[in-house]
Amino acid sequence: MSETDGTPRDFDTLRALLIERRPDMPKRLAQVAAFAVDRPDDVTFGTVAAIAEQAGVQPSTLVRFAQSLGYQGFSELQDVFRARLRDRWPDYDERLEVLRRRSADSQGAHALFGDFVDTAVTSLIRLRDTIEPARMDEAARLIAGARAIYLLGQRRAFPVCSYMAYALAKLGSPTVLIDNVAGLGPEQAEAAGPEDLLIAVSFTPYTSLTVDVANAAAARGVPVLALTDSPFSPLMESAKVVIEVIEADLGAFRSLSGTLCLAMALCVAAAEIRRAEAEEKGPARA
Amino acid sequence: MSETDGTPRDFDTLRALLIERRPDMPKRLAQVAAFAVDRPDDVTFGTVAAIAEQAGVQPSTLVRFAQSLGYQGFSELQDVFRARLRDRWPDYDERLEVLRRRSADSQGAHALFGDFVDTAVTSLIRLRDTIEPARMDEAARLIAGARAIYLLGQRRAFPVCSYMAYALAKLGSPTVLIDNVAGLGPEQAEAAGPEDLLIAVSFTPYTSLTVDVANAAAARGVPVLALTDSPFSPLMESAKVVIEVIEADLGAFRSLSGTLCLAMALCVAAAEIRRAEAEEKGPARA
DNA sequence: CGAAAAATGGAATAAAAATTCCACATGATG
DNA sequence: CATCATGTGGAATTTTTATTCCATTTTTCG
């Protein structure tokens, strides 16, 4: 993987290289190689001095070790160790750099697309691994149990809402998309009652309309399901259930893929719950 | 866990503390708290200067932040972040195991979400590998060269358009989202002229409004860029450039992830082209 | 509205770290 | 066994990084 000059940039390759080359290394360097393979965490987090002591060598030996592998210095080698723990979240600055360089080449659109795809995939996988199943079930039940679903989200969150509006409508749920046309957002939301559900979607920086309408609704006893990106979201107060969605971003552009998938899954899960319940109560009616 | 004096030594406690105390913190410190909770990985590996920049504060603020929580300095706080990875990730295999078990266990919403994620990832990767770079460049240049961008898409395609509207606006392009409020879609599109660009997004079954408006515009000499899902799309006739987007679907639900990524990439690519051109012509004006 | 307190930004300083350098040791080779 | 190439330890140096300090701004409260 990704070594142009025999100097690994990813941990697995580096590890393999160390194991392969260790027998031919000078004593101290071999010692360092062994230590690096055995206790990668210590290498990841330690300072040169600390690692040197643990490995029983001089600090300078570590630097020479790194250089003998083709790195500029020990720090560069340590970066590979760190990337191992960090990989799933592509490095912000480096990415931006790549973005800029590529578009300067005017290789442009397609390469950029590749980056966006990477970011979206990262986002999706990460979200799948971190989201709490219990929360999702709660949310799905909330949707399934509601009389009508009110969807609230502005700016970047709006596509999510309009997508849910489409999906829910297709699944047969009474749905109101609060699009705030003519500034009537608050009024659109006013029809919602305790039997209904307001799904509020908002990301930093939180649109005040969204927050205000959600709070007002909550105050009236309308249950609120919040999809948001941080535990500090102002939606936390009013929401009955909160699902935290952390998306990866590329430059200034945050992916929406994870949120959309989540939204879709919730809608379909809710539809399933409803269907199951309908079957239990009156199988004949279907 | 293990805090004698209210200063957490483990990450989870620290995180909880930050969430709890953030509302009462001064602005900048709250900002740091949010950053620390949202992007712990960046805090774990960054230097004070790098983290400060990403969080939009001064280095000294980070130190003060740590001290206000009872740590001696920022480094001590960072240790807590590092310990989190040390403790949590030593064994990759175990982690995978947990993950596997979790997704096998869970039924309902979460499992469904996993499926949607799989579908989206498949969609993304496939799209990245099949799309024609030349087309994308054409499309990006078209967007970059236009006076104003008109966005047309109904139903499932609407979220894509609203997302583009958001992105283009943020990138400084004059943008009109044809949302067809009050049935005024055709009239909204009428302002578009040969200097402008109409981006039409439509998937099977093609909404007639979209097709009609796109055709009418094309007849008037407005260039049309079509994002669609089949070579038989009725948009083929009127479009100057067509990008074909094939999305994977799960049951009746087709993913949108690929289309959204594509849309985003096009917008950013166009913005880059514009910037490059602006720099060439009048570097002084920037 | 005005004084006091708290918070903030940014430069200055101190601390710590990485890296380089070189004298010395070791081991291979003729 | 002399010589040379290679490897090593440790101090010196340079660079990076964290922290402190203080003038200025913002907020709070009488």
Side-chain angles (χ1 to χ4, degrees):
Chain A
M1 304 168 189
S2 71
E3 344 121 46
T4 326
D5 54 348
T7 303
R9 292 283 144 207
D10 69 287
F11 181 73
D12 292 330
T13 314
L14 173 58
R15 192 185 135 97
L17 183 74
L18 290 182
I19 292 172
E20 181 203 327
R21 291 241 292 253
R22 201 181 79 108
D24 310 322
M25 285 181 174
K27 197 167 69 169
R28 287 286 117 104
L29 298 193
Q31 197 175 325
V32 173
F35 183 83
V37 172
D38 286 351
R39 298 171 54 181
D41 276 0
D42 292 304
V43 176
T44 307
F45 294 107
T47 64
V48 170
I51 299 166
E53 199 191 327
Q54 289 181 97
V57 299
Q58 289 291 322
S60 52
T61 306
L62 291 186
V63 177
R64 258 180 298 128
F65 174 75
Q67 288 172 340
S68 78
L69 291 166
Y71 300 97
Q72 189 127 26
F74 181 75
S75 303
E76 209 177 282
L77 176 131
Q78 198 177 35
D79 283 344
V80 176
F81 278 76
R82 293 189 170 168
R84 161 191 67 125
L85 291 185
R86 188 196 220 178
D87 243 357
R88 46 198 52 239
W89 214 240
D91 180 56
Y92 195 72
D93 296 326
E94 194 181 323
R95 287 257 145 190
L96 255 182
E97 196 48 43
V98 170
L99 193 158
R100 196 142 288 156
R101 209 176 323 125
R102 281 204 196 157
S103 44
D105 287 355
S106 106
Q107 279 263 349
H110 188 249
L112 204 57
F113 178 55
D115 289 343
F116 274 100
V117 167
D118 283 354
T119 310
V121 170
T122 308
S123 228
L124 285 165
I125 305 266
R126 166 90 170 204
L127 185 59
R128 185 190 60 188
D129 295 350
T130 55
I131 214 155
E132 295 167 51
R135 286 282 175 82
M136 284 209 63
D137 287 331
E138 268 184 276
R141 272 197 300 276
L142 221 47
I143 297 174
R147 185 178 57 184
I149 311 291
Y150 287 73
L151 294 163
L152 174 63
Q154 297 282 295
R155 303 180 68 80
R156 211 156 56 77
F158 185 69
V160 179
C161 289
S162 57
Y163 194 35
M164 284 181 101
Y166 171 80
L168 286 169
K170 255 189 86 171
L171 290 166
S173 276
T175 309
V176 178
L177 176 63
I178 300 171
D179 56 9
N180 197 32
V181 197
L184 290 173
E187 285 76 10
Q188 293 178 304
E190 236 155 47
E195 302 283 288
D196 301 315
L197 173 70
L198 177 70
I199 303 182
V201 187
S202 192
F203 308 112
T204 21
Y206 310 96
T207 308
S208 59
L209 176 90
T210 304
V211 178
D212 294 345
V213 170
N215 285 338
R220 285 204 319 280
V222 182
V224 174
L225 165 62
L227 306 187
T228 190
D229 64 351
S230 137
F232 302 126
S233 165
L235 289 173
M236 294 295 289
E237 295 171 43
S238 49
K240 190 163 175 185
V241 174
V242 177
I243 298 187
E244 232 182 277
V245 185
I246 299 162
E247 297 262 15
D249 44 21
L250 173 62
F253 294 90
R254 192 161 289 187
S255 174
L256 260 192
S257 306
T259 314
L260 279 170
C261 266
L262 175 68
M264 200 51 27
L266 286 176
C267 293
V268 175
E272 288 286 334
I273 292 175
R274 279 193 182 170
R275 214 182 49 181
E277 277 173 4
E279 246 167 50
E280 260 176 43
K281 283 182 185 171
R285 273 192 32 180
Chain B
M1 308 156 197
S2 71
E3 344 122 45
T4 327
D5 54 346
T7 302
R9 291 285 144 203
D10 72 287
F11 181 73
D12 290 330
T13 314
L14 172 58
R15 189 185 135 99
L17 182 74
L18 290 181
I19 292 172
E20 181 203 326
R21 290 240 293 254
R22 201 188 83 112
D24 310 322
M25 285 181 176
K27 197 166 68 166
R28 285 288 117 103
L29 298 191
Q31 196 174 325
V32 173
F35 184 84
V37 171
D38 287 351
R39 299 174 48 179
D41 278 3
D42 291 306
V43 177
T44 307
F45 293 108
T47 64
V48 170
I51 299 165
E53 198 191 326
Q54 291 183 91
V57 300
Q58 290 290 324
S60 51
T61 306
L62 291 186
V63 177
R64 254 178 302 139
F65 173 76
Q67 288 172 342
S68 79
L69 291 167
Y71 299 96
Q72 188 129 21
F74 180 76
S75 304
E76 209 177 285
L77 176 129
Q78 199 177 35
D79 284 346
V80 175
F81 278 77
R82 294 190 168 166
R84 160 191 70 123
L85 287 187
R86 259 192 217 271
D87 300 344
R88 191 166 289 186
W89 272 49
D91 30 343
Y92 193 68
D93 294 329
E94 189 186 327
R95 204 188 132 78
L96 265 180
E97 193 49 42
V98 170
L99 224 157
R100 195 156 292 150
R101 208 173 327 123
R102 209 203 300 169
S103 50
D105 274 1
S106 66
Q107 279 153 14
H110 189 251
L112 206 55
F113 178 55
D115 290 343
F116 274 102
V117 167
D118 284 351
T119 309
V121 170
T122 308
S123 226
L124 285 163
I125 305 269
R126 197 168 60 188
L127 185 58
R128 184 189 59 189
D129 295 344
T130 57
I131 213 154
E132 296 168 50
R135 286 282 174 81
M136 285 208 62
D137 285 332
E138 269 185 275
R141 272 197 299 277
L142 221 47
I143 298 174
R147 186 178 56 183
I149 311 290
Y150 287 73
L151 294 163
L152 174 63
Q154 296 284 293
R155 304 180 67 79
R156 208 157 58 80
F158 185 69
V160 179
C161 290
S162 58
Y163 194 35
M164 284 182 101
Y166 172 80
L168 286 169
K170 253 189 88 170
L171 290 166
S173 276
T175 308
V176 179
L177 176 63
I178 301 171
D179 56 8
N180 196 32
V181 197
L184 290 173
E187 284 76 9
Q188 292 178 304
E190 237 155 47
E195 304 283 288
D196 301 315
L197 173 70
L198 177 71
I199 303 183
V201 187
S202 191
F203 308 111
T204 26
Y206 308 97
T207 308
S208 60
L209 176 91
T210 304
V211 178
D212 295 346
V213 171
N215 284 339
R220 285 204 320 280
V222 181
V224 174
L225 164 62
L227 306 186
T228 189
D229 63 351
S230 132
F232 304 124
S233 164
L235 288 172
M236 295 297 288
E237 295 171 43
S238 49
K240 192 164 173 184
V241 174
V242 177
I243 297 187
E244 238 181 89
V245 185
I246 299 161
E247 296 262 17
D249 42 22
L250 174 63
F253 293 90
R254 193 161 290 187
S255 173
L256 260 193
S257 305
T259 314
L260 279 170
C261 266
L262 176 68
M264 199 53 24
L266 285 175
C267 294
V268 175
E272 288 288 334
I273 292 175
R274 280 195 180 168
R275 214 185 50 179
E277 277 173 3
E279 247 168 50
E280 261 176 41
K281 284 182 185 171
R285 273 194 29 180

